[in-house]
Amino acid sequence: GVHGGIFESLDMSEDAKAFAKRATKDIIKTALDLAVKENALALEHLYHSITDGTPPKQRIAAAKSIVQYQRSPPKIAHVNRNKHNQTPNHPLVRVKLFRNPGGQLWYEGDHGMVSIEGGQVTESRVGLKMVKKKVFLEKETGVVWYLQPWYFNMFHKPWKNAKLLSFDRDIDPSAIGSSEIEVLQKYVSDRIEPDKCVAGSYNFCDRPTVGWMAHWKADVIPAFRFGKIGE
């Protein structure tokens, strides 16, 4: 277990404090890191995500998503932001993406509509609304990447590079961040190989999710204030 003193001053439920004190070895590093930052909400979220049987992928997203409390990040958070940025390890395939009223994502497969989470297949499109974006899917992981129009890519030489975002909210609806990759325009087709993808800059406050002002404060202004990010 963990010495309980570090958690006593945090504004969180007693159940979450008890969980933090007996945290198992595989999550202790995350718990301590968040506690040091006095991010009680993250521990609360992490407590519930683990105790309700949330799968590891969603659990990681849940813990990661709370890091977006960095709406005005200090230098150390800015230069280390890319520890949250994910990049594909498998090919990205162009798909037609749909969303149902509950927010679940589906794509058009060879034998019907396929659920990204769980892999269920159905021939019915009832209640499914097409996402009107250029979308790519890493089928092995279920991670969706959205190709951005050139006018949302002004800092990345849009005449040369394409930018794709993966929204944390697709995994955890409470998340407000996004991962970012760049690909040379000449390599963008119906299939993008992972070795053509270069890590961009992780966004603590994603523009489509929380708006321009929050995005500029959390992700753009720090780049001018603090300079380059780490690897």
Side-chain angles (χ1 to χ4, degrees):
V2 186
H3 187 275
I6 192 172
F7 303 106
E8 294 304 326
S9 63
L10 300 180
D11 183 16
M12 55 196 290
S13 71
E14 291 304 316
D15 283 344
K17 285 182 182 179
F19 158 73
K21 292 174 185 177
R22 65 175 187 272
T24 51
K25 199 170 183 178
D26 65 325
I27 61 165
I28 196 63
K29 187 177 184 301
T30 301
L32 283 175
D33 182 52
L34 296 170
V36 167
K37 295 174 182 176
E38 294 188 350
N39 189 0
L41 178 60
L43 279 170
E44 187 81 34
H45 197 141
L46 189 58
Y47 163 72
H48 290 295
S49 72
I50 290 174
T51 55
D52 68 8
T54 303
K57 179 181 174 183
Q58 285 85 343
R59 183 191 309 165
I60 292 168
K64 185 177 79 170
S65 72
I66 306 301
V67 178
Q68 287 97 28
Y69 79 98
Q70 301 280 16
R71 289 178 178 265
S72 183
K75 183 175 181 178
I76 189 170
H78 166 70
V79 298
N80 290 303
R81 66 174 60 229
N82 263 16
K83 69 181 181 180
H84 310 294
N85 201 65
Q86 60 181 328
T87 56
N89 293 313
H90 307 278
L92 305 183
V93 181
R94 181 82 177 268
V95 296
K96 291 183 179 179
L97 191 71
F98 298 79
R99 192 184 303 272
N100 71 13
Q104 289 82 18
L105 295 172
W106 298 71
Y107 69 94
E108 188 176 62
D110 294 334
H111 304 289
M113 304 303 296
V114 183
S115 168
I116 286 179
E117 183 177 351
Q120 302 99 323
V121 180
T122 178
E123 294 183 359
S124 173
R125 295 194 183 190
V126 176
L128 296 180
K129 184 177 181 181
M130 188 172 182
V131 177
K132 296 186 181 300
K133 294 179 181 290
K134 293 183 178 180
V135 179
F136 291 81
L137 175 65
E138 187 179 14
K139 291 186 177 181
E140 290 80 358
T141 63
V143 176
V144 179
W145 292 90
Y146 301 80
L147 183 66
Q148 301 299 293
W150 66 269
Y151 47 83
F152 288 151
N153 188 28
M154 298 306 292
F155 294 117
H156 299 267
K157 300 179 181 178
W159 57 90
K160 179 181 178 182
N161 299 312
K163 181 174 78 172
L164 293 91
L165 297 179
S166 176
F167 302 123
D168 292 348
R169 67 172 185 257
D170 282 347
I171 296 175
D172 177 359
S174 70
I176 59 173
S178 64
S179 291
E180 180 181 283
I181 57 173
E182 295 178 16
V183 182
L184 288 174
Q185 291 281 9
K186 64 181 180 180
Y187 295 132
V188 177
S189 61
D190 287 341
R191 179 186 173 99
I192 302 174
E193 297 300 329
D195 61 349
K196 306 303 182 186
C197 302
V198 178
S201 175
Y202 182 78
N203 298 299
F204 285 124
C205 293
D206 185 74
R207 173 196 54 77
T209 307
V210 292
W212 278 107
M213 292 301 292
H215 174 56
W216 271 74
K217 187 175 181 181
D219 304 310
V220 179
I221 293 175
F224 291 101
R225 288 183 63 198
F226 304 128
K228 292 183 178 181
I229 60 177
E231 296 299 326

